[in-house]
Amino acid sequence: MSQSLKPIDNAKIENAIRDLLDAIGEDVNREGLRDTPARVARMYSELLGGMRENPEIHFKSVFTEEYDEIVLLRDIPFFSMCEHHMLPFIGSAHVAYLPSGKVLGVSKMARIVDCFAKRLQVQERMTGEIADLMMNHLKPLGVAVVVEASHSCMTIRGIKKPGATMVTSALRGLFRKDSRSRNEILSLLHQDRR
Ligand code: ZN
């Protein structure tokens, strides 16, 4: 799915940004704005690059390992873009799994978060997508993903509540079914931060 998309059309973005500048009453040709459409087009290519990446490739670095305790990568920073306002939401993700004979290279967990973040997103969906991908491709006993983020669309506009953080979680497998595993992962996730 993600690979069959046509490439980002930079010329079309540039035209749209010129129209936007004109619509708000700006002089599209003044010095400071002359290169803005091209800059914005390059920016969107970068911020939305995850749409054209396939996160499944990261499961090539899966290793057989008899480790059967929780693996948790905490505080993975990410930047994403809310699809309702096209404004950034920024925060950190915590990704944990309970291996079943296979472990994943630790940097891959961060790359998977990036791949889903660099799209037009909804935080709830992103949280579930990371969990489902890990569950389907690593086939661990359980996966837990917690995402905490601050949404510009509610800090700088609308209700204007800077400092408010949205927390979403997705629990799969044992973390969902077994209350002891769930309590263990939740207490690890909420341990004091330095
Ligand atoms: Zn929004």
Side-chain angles (χ1 to χ4, degrees), residues 18-176:
R18 247 175 247 115
D19 282 347
L20 176 67
L21 290 169
D22 184 57
I24 62 178
E26 267 293 357
D27 170 8
V28 187
N29 296 311
R30 73 179 170 84
E31 196 188 7
L33 293 179
R34 211 177 293 146
D35 297 324
T36 297
R39 262 194 302 266
V40 173
R42 286 195 300 275
M43 177 190 76
Y44 278 121
S45 296
E46 182 184 341
L47 295 182
L48 304 177
M51 285 172 72
R52 285 166 181 75
E53 287 169 19
N54 180 0
E56 294 170 12
I57 60 164
H58 301 306
F59 294 90
K60 283 178 187 157
S61 339
V62 164
F63 309 100
T64 304
E65 197 61 65
E66 283 318 306
Y67 184 75
D68 61 357
E69 302 291 337
I70 290 172
V71 178
L72 164 63
L73 186 61
R74 215 158 71 167
D75 301 319
I76 307 166
F78 75 87
F79 317 89
S80 189
M81 186 95 94
C82 113
E83 70 181 21
H84 300 134
H85 301 91
M86 295 183 73
L87 280 173
F89 64 97
I90 299 174
S92 50
H94 319 292
V95 180
Y97 66 96
L98 192 56
S100 169
K102 303 270 183 209
V103 296
L104 180 65
V106 72
S107 67
K108 305 301 177 191
M109 292 158 81
R111 290 193 186 280
I112 289 165
V113 169
D114 273 347
C115 182
F116 284 112
K118 285 158 58 188
R119 305 169 184 209
L120 290 181
Q121 268 293 9
V122 169
Q123 184 179 326
E124 295 90 330
R125 185 173 69 223
M126 180 177 113
T127 311
E129 281 174 342
I130 297 167
D132 289 334
L133 185 88
M134 294 278 294
M135 202 64 197
N136 293 337
H137 291 272
L138 192 59
K139 308 223 182 297
L141 298 175
V143 172
V145 178
V146 173
V147 176
E148 309 172 52
S150 164
H151 289 247
S152 321
C153 62
M154 70 168 285
T155 57
I156 65 170
R157 59 158 291 288
I159 194 165
K160 296 191 193 72
K161 293 292 176 219
T165 312
M166 178 154 128
V167 182
T168 46
S169 68
L171 302 176
R172 302 287 186 266
L174 264 192
F175 292 133
R176 184 173 200 142

